[in-house]
Amino acid sequence: MKQDLPPILELKGLVKSFGALQVLKGIDFSVQPGELAFIIGPSGSGKSTLLRCCNRLEEPDGGSVTVDGIDITAPGVDINRLRQKIGMVFQSFNLYPHMTALGNVTLALRKVQGMDKATADAKGRAALERVGLTDKADAYPNQLSGGQQQRVGIARSLALEPLIVLFDEPTSALDPELVGGVLKVMRELRESGMTMVVVSHEMAFARAAADRVVFMDQGQIVEQGPPEEVFGNPKHARLREFLATLADRH
Amino acid sequence: METLLTVFFNVEIMKKVWPFLLQGLGMTVVLSLVVIPLGLAGGLGIAILSSLQRRWLNRVLIVYVDFFRAFPPLVLLIFIYFGFPFLQIDLPKFAAVALGFFLNTSSYFGEIFRAGFESIPRGQLEAARSTGLTRWQALVSVVIPQATRNVLPDLISNTLEVIKLTSLASVVALPELLNNARQAQALTYNATPVVLAALMYLLLLWPIVRLLSRLEHKSIALH
Ligand SMILES: Nc1ncnc2c1ncn2[C@@H]1O[C@H](COP(=O)(O)OP(=O)(O)OP(=O)(O)O)[C@@H](O)[C@H]1O
Ligand SMILES: [Mg+2]
C-alpha cells in the first residue's frame, strides 16, 4: 500500500437518501493504491449503498466521489468509460446465463472497448486463469458451482484491468464449503497489489488480509483502523455490540 | 351426399377460382409479413421505453397498450378506413389496414415483451452497466436475447393470432384470402371457394401451431 500517493478512491461528504430515509449521512472515506479496506456494519447501515455510489449505480445526492483523481459525479463525465476502471463483484454473482463463462468475461471488452473477438478471448482466458477457471471457459453459469460463478464474476471485473474492485458480500450467497475458494482468489488479488473495498462478514479474512477495517452504522462511519485495533480494542459501544452479535452467531 | 359435394367440394369450381384465391393468399401473406415485423418492432419499442421507468412516458404507454388491446380490431379498422378521409387524410387501403393491425398488434406484443423484460433479474443489467455498457448495449446484449427466449411461445402464439386477424381486412375489401373467397362464393353461388380458403388458412397456420406446441412441450420439460 502506498500512503504517499494520491488516493485511488476518495469520497467527500457523500450523502444519499431514498425518499425520506437518509441512508448515507456525509461519508468521508478514501482508499490508497494497493489498500484493502474492509467494511463491516449491521444490516441496513448503508454499506451496499456506499459501494453503489462509487460507480454511480446509485446517484449520490451530495458530496463527491473521486476515482483516480476524476470526480465521477461531475456533469459531463463519461461514466461508462470510468466504470471500466471500477470493478464490482455482486453478492448474487449476476452472471449472464445465456453466455458462457468466457462470454461473460469478454462482453464489455467486445462491446465497450470494441476489441475483436480473438483479442478479447485471449484477455478473457487470462482473466479466467487468474481465478483458477481456465478449464471452465466454455461452461454456462448453470453448469458451475456458486463459488465458480462468483470467480467468473471476479474475472469479469479483472478483464477490464480495473484500478479498484468493489466487493459487495461476495461470499454471502455461497455454501460454506465454497467460500474458501473465492476468498483465496481475493487474497491472491490483494497480494498482486489490487486496490479493493470489501463489504463482508468474513471476519477471519479481514484479520488476515485487510489493511483497514471500517465500521459503518446508520449511514455513518463510526470507527476505523487496522483489524487488530478494531477487533481487539473497539472504542465505540455500537461497534462492541455489533462484534458481540457476530460472535454469538458463530 | 351428391349435393353436399357439389356445394362444398365442387372440383370444377375449385379449378376455376384457384388462381383468384391464390392471389388472395398472396395478399394475406404480404399483409402478415408487413404487420408482424412492424408489430414486433413496435412491441419491443414499447418494452424498451417502459424499461426506462420514466413516470409520464409509462403512463402514455399504459394508455396506448390498454386502449388498443381493449378496442375491437374490426371496429378500429372501420374507423381508420372510413374515418381518415373525413380528416382529409388519403390513406391507401393497404396502408389503412396495416396501420389498424399495427396499433392492435404492437400493443399485444408490447405486453409480451414487457413481461419478458421483467423476467430478467435487475442485477444482470446492473452488472452489465458496472462494466461500462450503456443502457442500450446492456439491453441488446443481456436483456433482449434472454427476454425473447423466455416469451417465445407467447410471441409465436400472438403471431398466429395476427395471421388470423388479417381476414378482418375483408370488411374494407382488401383483396386478401377471405375477401377473394367471399367474392368467388358470391359469383359462383357456391360455398366451395370458402372451403378452399379454409384449407389454405389451415395449411398456412398448421406449421406454426406445430412449432408452438413443440416449444411448449420443451419449456414444460425444462421446468
Ligand atoms: N433502492 C432503494 N430504495 C429504497 N430504499 C433503499 C434502496 N436501497 C437501499 N435502501 C434502504 O437503504 C438502507 C441501506 O441499505 P443498504 O443496502 O445500503 O444496507 P447494507 O448495509 O448493505 O445492508 P445489508 O447488510 O443488509 O446488505 C436500508 O434501510 C434499505 O432498506
Ligand atoms: Mg448490502
Side-chain angles (χ1 to χ4, degrees):
Chain A
M1 179 179 43
K2 293 149 191 137
Q3 287 291 5
D4 46 337
L5 290 174
I8 294 278
L9 172 71
E10 188 167 32
L11 311 181
K12 277 189 192 153
L14 187 68
V15 185
K16 174 71 187 174
S17 298
F18 292 110
L21 179 71
Q22 193 172 32
V23 177
L24 299 178
K25 301 172 180 166
I27 302 277
D28 296 306
F29 176 63
S30 70
V31 185
Q32 291 304 122
E35 187 181 14
L36 193 157
F38 192 93
I39 303 180
I40 57 173
S43 181
S45 56
K47 307 179 297 292
S48 296
T49 307
L50 175 73
L51 286 190
R52 293 162 58 84
C53 282
C54 295
N55 62 0
R56 277 176 58 192
L57 279 185
E58 300 290 353
E59 287 297 337
D61 297 330
S64 66
V65 179
T66 309
V67 175
D68 198 31
I70 300 168
D71 182 355
I72 68 164
T73 62
V77 297
D78 182 354
I79 188 65
N80 294 316
R81 194 172 61 79
L82 293 170
R83 275 182 178 152
Q84 297 177 65
K85 293 296 153 204
I86 313 167
M88 185 168 242
V89 175
F90 300 84
Q91 178 174 356
S92 48
F93 327 136
N94 296 346
L95 297 185
Y96 320 126
H98 61 307
M99 293 181 193
T100 61
L102 188 61
N104 270 271
V105 173
T106 59
L107 179 67
L109 295 174
R110 289 178 283 124
K111 299 294 167 186
V112 184
Q113 302 192 350
M115 232 175 242
D116 63 79
K117 189 166 165 10
T119 318
D121 281 358
K123 230 169 167 184
R125 284 183 198 279
L128 284 172
E129 193 182 342
R130 279 181 84 175
V131 300
L133 290 177
T134 321
D135 54 333
K136 296 291 183 190
D138 298 321
Y140 284 87
N142 66 7
Q143 300 167 320
L144 298 173
S145 75
Q148 291 169 334
Q149 289 185 50
Q150 189 58 296
R151 280 143 65 195
V152 173
I154 295 173
R156 176 169 63 186
S157 294
L158 295 184
L160 296 166
E161 299 176 357
L163 293 166
I164 182 169
V165 183
L166 313 168
F167 294 80
D168 193 359
E169 306 206 27
T171 58
S172 296
L174 297 177
D175 293 336
E177 72 272 19
L178 300 176
V179 170
V182 171
L183 293 181
K184 177 168 167 281
V185 166
M186 290 170 65
R187 279 287 284 274
E188 287 164 4
L189 195 57
R190 192 233 169 299
E191 275 149 26
S192 76
M194 179 61 75
T195 310
M196 299 159 72
V197 180
V198 180
V199 172
S200 167
H201 299 296
E202 298 292 337
M203 298 302 161
F205 176 82
R207 280 177 199 279
D211 297 294
R212 179 162 47 120
V213 175
V214 177
F215 173 63
M216 273 185 82
D217 191 25
Q218 297 178 15
Q220 283 169 321
I221 292 178
V222 175
E223 188 168 336
Q224 55 182 317
E228 52 278 15
E229 284 284 314
V230 170
F231 293 136
N233 186 19
K235 301 198 175 44
H236 286 79
R238 272 139 74 189
L239 174 55
R240 282 198 293 274
E241 278 166 35
F242 175 73
L243 293 174
T245 58
L246 279 188
D248 284 351
R249 256 197 274 159
H250 290 112
Chain B
M1 190 62 204
E2 187 68 29
T3 47
L4 195 74
L5 278 180
T6 48
V7 175
F8 289 98
F9 300 96
N10 192 318
V11 178
E12 281 309 304
I13 289 180
M14 277 194 192
K15 277 184 193 156
K16 220 182 325 176
V17 302
W18 173 257
F20 188 50
L21 290 205
L22 221 48
Q23 270 177 27
L25 180 65
M27 177 57 91
T28 293
V29 169
V30 169
L31 188 58
S32 300
L33 287 179
V34 168
V35 170
I36 291 164
L38 282 179
L40 281 168
L44 190 56
I46 289 170
I48 289 171
L49 288 177
S50 72
S51 79
L52 295 177
Q53 302 193 335
R54 298 280 143 74
R55 198 190 306 162
W56 277 104
L57 184 60
N58 261 6
R59 283 183 193 168
V60 172
L61 292 172
I62 287 169
V63 169
Y64 175 92
V65 167
D66 284 1
F67 183 83
F68 287 112
R69 286 206 308 166
F71 211 89
L74 184 56
V75 182
L76 182 62
L77 213 56
I78 292 170
F79 253 71
I80 292 177
Y81 185 67
F82 296 103
F84 270 45
F86 277 105
L87 303 171
Q88 312 291 327
I89 299 171
D90 187 24
L91 215 52
K93 193 178 280 182
F94 185 87
V97 169
L99 175 64
F101 287 160
F102 168 78
L103 293 173
N104 175 268
T105 302
S106 61
S107 63
Y108 277 95
F109 278 131
E111 274 305 283
I112 295 172
F113 274 120
R114 198 150 71 177
F117 276 35
E118 272 160 22
S119 72
I120 309 303
R122 217 186 133 64
Q124 286 184 42
L125 189 69
E126 291 187 341
R129 296 305 307 273
S130 79
T131 58
L133 271 74
T134 62
R135 170 178 286 280
W136 178 250
Q137 288 171 328
L139 280 176
V140 169
S141 299
V142 176
V143 178
I144 294 175
Q146 296 183 74
T148 307
R149 192 187 300 179
N150 289 353
V151 295
L152 198 56
D154 291 333
L155 291 175
I156 293 177
S157 145
N158 198 50
T159 300
L160 206 61
E161 292 305 315
V162 177
I163 299 175
K164 293 187 207 163
L165 196 71
T166 58
S167 63
L168 292 185
S170 59
V171 293
V172 299
L174 186 78
E176 49 71 62
L177 182 52
L178 181 63
N179 175 80
N180 288 11
R182 299 279 309 272
Q183 267 189 31
Q185 179 196 15
L187 288 173
T188 57
Y189 299 105
N190 190 291
T192 302
V194 178
V195 172
L196 191 55
L199 289 174
M200 285 175 159
Y201 275 119
L202 278 179
L203 238 55
L204 183 64
L205 296 175
W206 187 72
I208 306 177
V209 175
R210 279 295 349 126
L211 176 69
L212 184 60
S213 100
R214 269 185 40 199
L215 277 176
E216 277 165 349
H217 278 115
K218 218 161 83 185
S219 75
I220 288 168
L222 276 176
H223 288 127

